[in-house]
Amino acid sequence: MSGGARRPHRRGRMAERPEARAASLAELLSLESAKLLELYRKRENLSGDVLAGAGRLVSVPPPSAQLGAADKLRRLHAALLQCRSLTEGAVAKEDDEMGGGTGEYETLRKTVKERLSSLVNTVGELVKAAGGPTPALTPPASGRGSEPDDPSLFALKLWLFRVFAEVDFWARTAAGALRTLRNARSRGARR
């Protein structure tokens, strides 16, 4: 380098390892999805036990400790793909049936949707880097869950709550799994 030109520092997000970026995205999504779920619950005046006995909408089992890193990433990616598909459908259905808005809830809903897409893409890159194929979108459990079972407004509200609860669950699951992966790779790199 000549003429006083300085070499740019590689700090911050640009220099982050993909695992660290994915973990940070998941942790942020976890916080935002929990807040969205709470805002929606309050907005629709739903009790905390409204989902008692409701099954999962995402048909992918959570990553287990027995799986290798690549398999955990593939499973996580498949679940996040389903969450993104459910969220896109839920947002479109909610806007069609109940109209859109511009308040805190709608702004946060948009942020969660965008952050979830970013996380799906980032985890997909990690899956490819781990040498595996990225999973195709699989339908929700038993082919159900992509729309409310009942055409009533109350059923729509419950279904939306279930979708947001599913995103919250998988955001927390992703944050934990990606944090573990990041820490394991950091320990391995220091050796």
Side-chain angles (χ1 to χ4, degrees):
M1 304 202 113
S2 62
R6 297 178 118 188
R7 187 176 195 170
H9 289 285
R10 297 296 241 144
R11 294 196 326 221
R13 289 223 181 271
M14 295 298 288
E16 270 185 333
R17 291 183 54 121
E19 302 87 13
R21 177 167 163 60
S24 295
L25 276 170
E27 288 167 5
L28 202 51
L29 178 60
S30 178
L31 294 171
E32 292 164 342
S33 63
K35 184 174 181 183
L36 177 66
L37 191 60
E38 185 60 23
L39 279 174
Y40 187 77
R41 190 184 66 73
K42 286 181 178 177
R43 175 183 138 154
E44 299 302 334
N45 200 25
L46 298 170
S47 68
D49 64 348
V50 71
L51 293 181
R56 302 235 61 102
L57 295 176
V58 170
S59 61
V60 179
S64 68
Q66 291 80 20
L67 295 174
D71 289 330
K72 285 179 186 178
L73 285 170
R74 271 192 290 282
R75 192 174 281 187
L76 193 57
H77 189 250
L80 292 169
L81 276 169
Q82 285 185 29
C83 283
R84 181 173 67 182
S85 177
L86 284 167
T87 301
E88 289 170 352
V91 168
K93 186 95 171 152
E94 182 178 26
D95 287 347
D96 287 348
E97 299 291 324
M98 298 192 283
T102 57
E104 180 184 12
Y105 164 75
E106 289 81 7
T107 301
L108 187 56
R109 184 184 73 172
K110 181 181 179 208
T111 300
V112 165
K113 184 179 163 194
E114 290 169 356
R115 185 106 44 223
L116 177 57
S117 281
S118 292
L119 182 59
V120 166
N121 295 335
T122 303
V123 172
E125 291 169 13
L126 290 174
V127 170
K128 286 179 191 169
T134 55
L137 179 62
T138 55
S142 306
R144 299 179 63 215
S146 59
E147 292 219 359
D149 294 332
D150 175 339
S152 72
L153 185 58
F154 184 70
L156 174 61
K157 290 177 180 186
L158 286 180
W159 176 70
L160 287 165
F161 189 76
R162 287 182 68 196
V163 168
F164 296 149
E166 202 69 17
V167 171
D168 182 55
F169 171 81
W170 282 102
R172 286 184 283 112
T173 300
L178 292 166
R179 190 178 321 111
T180 300
L181 176 65
R182 177 190 63 202
N183 293 343
R185 292 209 175 150
S186 291
R187 282 191 302 272
R190 279 187 251 148
R191 290 182 184 172

